[in-house]
Amino acid sequence: MVVCELTDAEVDAMFRALADATRRDIVTRVMNEGISVSRLATSYEMSFAAVQKHVAVLQSAGLVSKERNGREQIVRGNLSSIHRIQHLLSHFEEVWKQRALRMGDVLNDDD
């Protein structure tokens, strides 16, 4: 299935990445400004390595990018990927709205 120029593998990776609460929180934190991985790690009760793994999953899914700034790795949200997911979900919503309208037409049909 290709919807909104996303392959099945890309959609699966994005939703798999967003299925975890910590990763959703990371995306939320880095969407407006870049944050270093070390600073992110202080926000969670897990090891620095665990936070790095979460960031790697998000990066692999295209939801964040990471860039080196001196000794720090800065994580930034990828707004275009979020828009692509939003577009995909809007597409699904429209499909279901059309189905509901058709069901309503069938139920209201006097014939």
Side-chain angles (χ1 to χ4, degrees):
M1 169 179 98
V2 177
V3 178
C4 312
E5 302 175 10
L6 290 171
T7 66
D8 283 337
E10 289 171 320
V11 172
D12 290 347
M14 288 178 175
F15 282 111
R16 196 173 296 115
L18 292 172
D20 182 85
T22 299
R23 290 193 288 265
R24 287 191 305 273
D25 189 63
I26 290 170
V27 169
T28 300
R29 289 173 187 261
V30 301
M31 200 47 69
N32 292 324
E33 65 176 311
I35 301 175
S36 71
V37 177
S38 57
R39 190 165 134 216
L40 278 172
T42 64
S43 302
Y44 304 102
E45 292 186 14
M46 62 181 71
S47 69
F48 176 81
V51 173
Q52 279 185 307
K53 287 180 183 180
H54 282 298
V55 170
V57 169
L58 292 167
Q59 186 177 15
S60 170
L63 295 168
V64 301
S65 62
K66 212 167 48 171
E67 63 185 48
R68 187 162 290 285
N69 184 10
R71 293 181 61 189
E72 293 185 318
Q73 296 180 61
I74 305 300
V75 181
R76 297 184 192 287
N78 184 343
L79 190 57
S80 66
S81 288
I82 299 300
H83 284 148
R84 292 167 73 190
I85 292 171
Q86 183 180 18
H87 191 261
L88 174 66
L89 292 174
S90 294
H91 169 77
F92 290 144
E93 179 183 20
E94 188 58 34
V95 168
W96 281 102
K97 281 182 181 178
Q98 292 303 316
R99 287 181 182 179
L101 287 173
R102 286 194 307 266
M103 284 190 289
D105 290 345
V106 168
L107 293 173
N108 291 328
D109 191 8
D110 291 334
D111 292 337

